[in-house]
Amino acid sequence: MYRKNVLQIHTDLNQQSKLSEEHFAIWLNYFNTTIDENFSGPTAENMKTRALSIATVMKIKM
């Protein structure tokens, strides 16, 4: 399990160089492509949904 504060890491990065909507879209595309190429089924779909949710929360909080 990953135990670091991912939001804080991204907030710090955002202060150094602004993370744009395009950055999030690119990352989600890579993530979804990787999931689709290696996994299938409800768990894979849940992972993609959760990634989108996390990205959305990060954008709102930054």
Side-chain angles (χ1 to χ4, degrees), residues 7-48:
L7 180 58
Q8 187 60 55
I9 291 168
H10 285 81
T11 300
D12 293 344
L13 178 61
N14 189 53
Q15 289 176 351
Q16 294 173 18
S17 180
K18 181 81 171 145
L19 295 173
S20 69
E21 184 73 32
E22 184 178 10
H23 288 114
F24 285 96
I26 290 167
W27 180 83
L28 282 169
N29 183 53
Y30 284 140
F31 186 86
N32 289 338
T33 299
T34 300
I35 295 298
D36 290 341
E37 288 176 352
N38 293 284
F39 305 98
S40 64
T43 302
E45 294 306 313
N46 185 43
M47 290 172 65
K48 293 189 293 186

Side-chain angles (χ1 to χ4, degrees), residues 1-6 9 50 54:
M1 175 184 247
Y2 193 81
R3 298 191 187 277
K4 292 187 179 182
N5 184 336
V6 176
I9 291 168
R50 291 185 71 182
I54 291 166

Side-chain angles (χ1 to χ4, degrees), residues 45-60:
E45 294 306 313
N46 185 43
M47 290 172 65
K48 293 189 293 186
T49 300
R50 291 185 71 182
L52 176 59
S53 177
I54 291 166
T56 302
V57 169
M58 283 186 164
K59 287 188 286 187
I60 291 168

